[in-house]
Amino acid sequence: MLRVAVVGSGPSGVYAAQTLVQQREVPGVRVDVLDRLPAPYGLVRYGVAPDHEKIKSLTGSLRSVLEDERIRFLGNVEVGGPALPTERLRELYHAVVYCVGAAQDRHLGIPGEELPGVHSATAFVSWYSGHPDAADAAFDLSGVASAVVIGAGNVAVDVTRILARGVPELAPTDMPQGALGALAASGVRAVSMVARRGPSQGKFTTKELRELGTLPGAGVRVDPAELALDPAYEDPGAASALPAVARRNLEVLRAWAGAAPAGAERDIRLRFYLRPVEVLAGPDGWAGAVRFERTAPDGRGGVAGTGVYEDVEARLVLRSVGYRGVPLPGLPFDPATGTVPHAAGRVLREGRASVGEYVAGWIKRGPTGVIGTNRPCAKETASSLLQDAGVLARRERGPDPLDAMRAAGLRPVRWPGWLAIETAEADLGRSLGRRSVKIPDWAGLLGAAGT
């Protein structure tokens, strides 16, 4: 029997586990899916916006994999910590597949970024998604009239939409009660989503973009002059060379050019060719505005500053300019790419494949792609592992790793514990007159799991 540990229960980890147990070339593979959190599903639970119920329904297919008798979920297990260093994990399993994502957000690197009121979009998403690491976070939006979101990807669109969406649309979701209450008390009436490059270079998908125009009580507007700066905006020849998603995005933005619809309670402005250079403090020391420099296409696919500046009022500033992987103790790490060096998923140590150690997901390829991108990525890694199965199976391994984890002081949450959390969240929702509501703190989650 080949015993494999998959570290991370998000899509990449679950897809890797599924491939390993469903293939027929190497019989008898058993997989333990380990996660630092007591709840599975990774970013599908803690990164996908709560109002995106169709995407969140992916948990159904992930669930069916984790319920396979050949797969065991072990939550509340931190790999790389003193109780379970990576070296010990390799002693317990024939092979380890690391699917640990990219947990660190990128900074802007501008003056004023440390001011109160400036946050990463990651922190904001974790707060409204009920991530237990964000249990102590507090976003008081009652005194915030205007917000700026810096970035042009789907996460930027998500946080813009959540800030502009009314509570009646959020109440049916699993958003924690504290976050829902803070959004109900929000004073935000204007949200500017700002990109340093042009609309044809935005990283958002058309579906996400269009949603901004469907929010009850909100109007979207785009400055036609900023759209016109994009070489592909009015040039059919240049537009035809763009990826299909970029062409569709331009069509949506063209329809929004000009003034927002009259009577909108909340104003969403999509801004382009503006580069943040400083966050300006207000009279009380909090963020008061963001100073941007106007940029222009440089003819080489990038942008250049023009020396023209504009201040955009904002008491809340959310940066959404990308993610980076973080080193896991005991694994090699390339700081330039924020990934673990690998060849077809095999971890490379000093340029040579380390048989028995593998990576998949963002820690393998960087924070790129959509959820579905993880499936071929995980399949490639699993294929490499299976090619090494003959060598791996010759390694002697001891008794059940679960016993070793408990002996080291860990308290793994197994699948019945997760089901107990689900039941507790459903009960919490009923008590609040809502559907299932997330338990947002470690003590509550572990208590519900009976750990």
Side-chain angles (χ1 to χ4, degrees):
M1 180 182 73
L2 197 66
R3 182 186 293 159
V4 180
V6 171
V7 182
S9 66
S12 62
V14 175
Y15 293 150
Q18 182 181 35
T19 302
L20 289 169
V21 300
Q22 289 185 350
Q23 54 77 38
R24 297 181 181 181
E25 293 82 2
V26 181
V29 178
R30 295 294 182 269
V31 179
D32 283 351
V33 177
L34 316 181
D35 203 297
R36 185 178 68 88
L37 299 173
Y41 311 138
L43 283 179
V44 177
R45 176 174 166 91
Y46 289 119
V48 173
D51 60 338
H52 274 177
E53 295 189 7
K54 184 174 181 180
I55 301 176
K56 292 178 77 67
S57 67
L58 177 64
T59 57
S61 61
L62 300 180
R63 180 192 194 100
S64 66
V65 175
L66 292 174
E67 288 180 334
D68 190 299
E69 62 182 8
R70 297 164 294 184
I71 296 174
R72 182 169 59 174
F73 173 71
L74 300 177
N76 195 37
V77 174
E78 183 175 8
V79 173
L84 189 59
T86 53
E87 295 84 356
R88 177 57 174 152
L89 196 63
R90 293 180 65 192
E91 295 171 355
L92 296 173
Y93 293 90
H94 293 101
V96 182
V97 183
Y98 295 94
C99 308
V100 293
Q104 188 178 72
D105 65 277
R106 296 179 183 272
H107 286 68
L108 298 171
I110 61 175
E113 192 171 4
E114 75 290 344
L115 288 172
V118 182
H119 306 272
S120 70
T122 306
F124 191 62
V125 170
S126 294
W127 169 72
Y128 68 60
S129 296
H131 196 295
D133 287 349
D136 295 331
F139 284 87
D140 182 358
L141 305 175
S142 59
V144 178
S146 57
V148 163
V149 179
I150 300 172
N154 279 343
V155 175
V157 175
D158 277 350
V159 296
T160 297
R161 189 182 65 257
I162 292 295
L163 285 169
R165 190 181 275 290
V167 170
E169 296 90 56
L170 293 173
T173 73
D174 63 358
M175 180 179 286
Q177 189 69 11
L180 184 66
L183 288 165
S186 171
V188 174
R189 293 297 175 266
V191 185
S192 297
M193 191 179 90
V194 188
R196 66 183 179 87
R197 298 198 294 176
S200 66
Q201 296 168 308
K203 299 300 183 182
F204 37 71
T205 58
T206 308
K207 181 179 181 296
E208 292 265 1
L209 183 65
R210 282 196 181 112
E211 280 188 279
L212 293 177
T214 66
L215 303 181
V220 184
R221 55 180 168 144
V222 186
D223 187 342
E226 291 180 353
L227 293 179
L229 291 173
D230 194 313
Y233 180 62
E234 293 180 336
D235 182 350
S240 66
L242 294 174
V245 64
R247 295 198 301 271
R248 292 194 296 268
N249 287 344
L250 285 176
E251 292 172 5
V252 173
L253 294 167
R254 186 178 285 109
W256 289 338
E265 298 175 9
R266 292 173 296 280
D267 182 30
I268 300 173
R269 295 197 65 188
L270 305 184
R271 306 293 310 275
F272 297 97
Y273 292 113
L274 291 172
R275 177 170 60 198
V277 295
E278 185 177 1
V279 180
L280 306 175
D284 58 358
W286 281 65
V290 181
R291 177 160 293 166
F292 292 93
E293 181 183 14
R294 169 67 64 192
T295 63
D298 63 5
R300 299 184 301 275
V303 293
T306 65
V308 177
Y309 297 88
E310 177 183 345
D311 295 346
V312 179
E313 182 181 347
R315 189 168 176 82
L316 173 68
V317 180
L318 299 175
R319 64 175 185 268
S320 180
V321 291
Y323 297 91
R324 284 183 56 81
V326 295
L328 185 66
L331 275 186
F333 186 76
D334 182 353
T337 62
T339 61
V340 172
H342 73 93
R346 293 182 179 92
V347 172
L348 297 178
R349 291 184 178 273
E350 298 180 352
R352 300 182 63 182
S354 176
V355 176
E357 295 183 294
Y358 307 86
V359 286
W362 279 3
I363 199 63
K364 171 187 174 183
R365 66 181 191 272
T368 61
V370 295
I371 290 175
T373 311
N374 290 293
R375 189 178 290 277
C377 172
K379 186 175 181 179
E380 178 191 55
T381 296
S383 296
S384 294
L385 189 158
L386 293 167
Q387 290 168 17
D388 300 337
V391 175
L392 298 172
R394 291 197 291 268
R395 297 175 175 175
E396 292 292 333
R397 292 296 179 261
D400 190 342
L402 180 57
D403 296 332
M405 293 178 198
R406 287 171 171 159
L410 295 171
R411 297 181 297 160
V413 171
R414 299 189 62 182
W415 193 251
W418 159 241
L419 296 180
I421 292 173
E422 279 193 320
T423 298
E425 292 184 337
D427 291 342
L428 175 60
R430 278 192 293 271
S431 72
L432 296 169
R434 299 173 59 196
R435 289 187 283 180
S436 182
V437 171
K438 280 181 184 165
I439 298 171
D441 60 280
W442 279 97
L445 288 168
L446 294 176
T451 301

